[in-house]
Amino acid sequence: METIRSKFIKEGFIKIDQLITADEVATLRTLYDKLLQDTVKTAHLRSDLAGADNSADRKVERITQIMRPSTIAQELIENTAYKKAEQWAKHLLGPDMELDFDMMINKAPNTNTPTPWHQDAAYWIAMPDKRSASCWIALDKVFEENGCMWFIPKTEGTPVLPHKNLPHGGALYCETDSSEAICIPLNPGGCTFHDGFTLHFSQGNVTETQRRALILNFRPKKMIEFEREQGVDHTGERKQRN
């Protein structure tokens, strides 16, 4: 485990083949699908990371993001995925790491819409303690064709690059050299951890099934308190902050 921690600190990401069991995955899928289908209850937390598209034939969200789903489905917190991910975050970055926010990102079938290269820190306010760990949990088998994660290994002193919004309220993106990018396929229940400065991306989903991912974001308890004092609760508009 110490080797995994060293790799995370050095390169900014790691892969864990199996974070949760098949039964835990099945429970999460049921809750996940219920939230995806409930466009009323999730309306204030929901957006399409692909940006608005007014095309007459565009009836489906391409990359559905639901922020802080556990605030409306508290049984999510009871799934052991949250506890197991927190234990890993503490091992990677210290005992003061706690859950800051959770999120769902689903890629609908046959939508072929990439999530562009970006760094999570571009979304976040500047904080004196920059430790962070995002746990990306696969609820389906993920691979290149349906949108598994790609990472560029971090180098010392990696800055937050200039980011822009995709048109019509879409995700942030940045320009970068992706020639050293590494593809991380996962089985259901597997996960990756990455920090806020690590560049990552996923291709569009060109398969017949959805690609469901649950993301749990951890940072030091004092920095969560600092965010809340600044009015940041991760339910607002996406914009570059750093």
Side-chain angles (χ1 to χ4, degrees), residues 127-139:
M127 285 175 271
D129 188 336
K130 303 185 187 307
R131 287 177 293 152
S132 66
S134 295
C135 180
W136 194 101
I137 305 170
L139 300 185

Side-chain angles (χ1 to χ4, degrees), residues 1-241:
M1 287 183 68
E2 191 59 33
T3 301
I4 293 176
R5 181 177 182 275
S6 298
K7 178 179 171 61
F8 179 81
I9 298 296
K10 180 181 179 182
E11 298 185 356
F13 69 96
I14 57 167
K15 172 185 177 180
I16 297 173
D17 289 327
Q18 202 68 36
L19 177 73
I20 56 176
T21 67
D23 287 344
E24 291 164 339
V25 169
T27 299
L28 285 173
R29 283 175 176 168
T30 299
L31 295 170
Y32 197 107
D33 289 345
K34 187 182 298 185
L35 288 168
L36 276 180
Q37 294 160 13
D38 192 340
T39 57
V40 174
K41 188 178 290 185
T42 63
H44 64 298
L45 302 171
R46 188 183 193 111
S47 62
D48 188 344
L49 285 176
D53 187 335
N54 297 321
S55 302
D57 61 348
R58 180 69 70 187
K59 305 283 186 187
V60 66
E61 293 171 333
R62 290 166 285 169
I63 309 175
T64 302
Q65 175 180 263
I66 300 177
M67 297 297 295
R68 300 194 67 181
S70 59
T71 61
I72 54 176
Q74 294 185 6
E75 59 267 41
L76 276 172
I77 292 287
E78 298 170 7
N79 190 282
T80 51
Y82 283 70
K83 184 63 176 178
K84 290 178 179 180
E86 183 178 279
Q87 289 171 343
W88 268 103
K90 290 177 183 295
H91 169 69
L92 294 171
L93 290 174
D96 58 341
M97 300 297 287
E98 293 188 0
L99 181 70
D100 185 0
F101 63 99
D102 55 351
M103 57 195 294
M104 296 164 43
I105 299 182
N106 179 69
K107 292 201 171 187
N110 297 308
T111 45
N112 195 20
T113 306
T115 302
W117 285 105
H118 68 283
Q119 297 159 291
D120 292 341
Y123 289 100
W124 302 340
I125 61 172
M127 285 175 271
D129 188 336
K130 303 185 187 307
R131 287 177 293 152
S132 66
S134 295
C135 180
W136 194 101
I137 305 170
L139 300 185
D140 300 289
K141 186 177 180 66
V142 296
F143 42 95
E144 290 187 48
E145 290 78 11
N146 72 348
C148 71
M149 294 285 272
W150 291 70
F151 296 102
I152 298 174
K154 192 175 65 170
T155 57
E156 188 173 354
T158 297
V160 179
L161 300 175
H163 284 64
K164 298 178 182 179
N165 267 106
L166 289 173
H168 311 297
L172 293 180
Y173 72 95
C174 66
E175 303 292 338
T176 189
D177 176 5
S178 60
S179 60
E180 301 296 322
I182 298 172
C183 175
I184 310 289
L186 292 167
N187 289 317
C191 75
T192 59
F193 278 87
H194 65 273
D195 73 12
F197 294 89
T198 302
L199 285 150
H200 55 287
F201 152 92
S202 64
Q203 294 181 179
N205 184 2
V206 297
T207 72
E208 299 294 326
T209 57
Q210 63 183 339
R211 189 232 64 188
R212 293 166 287 189
L214 174 67
I215 299 95
L216 310 180
N217 296 273
F218 300 90
R219 68 175 73 252
K221 180 180 179 180
K222 287 186 178 179
M223 293 301 97
I224 298 172
E225 294 169 353
F226 178 81
E227 285 182 312
R228 301 300 185 265
E229 289 168 0
Q230 308 302 313
V232 176
D233 63 2
H234 302 286
T235 62
E237 181 183 358
R238 291 186 305 278
K239 58 184 177 180
Q240 184 182 2
R241 298 177 183 273

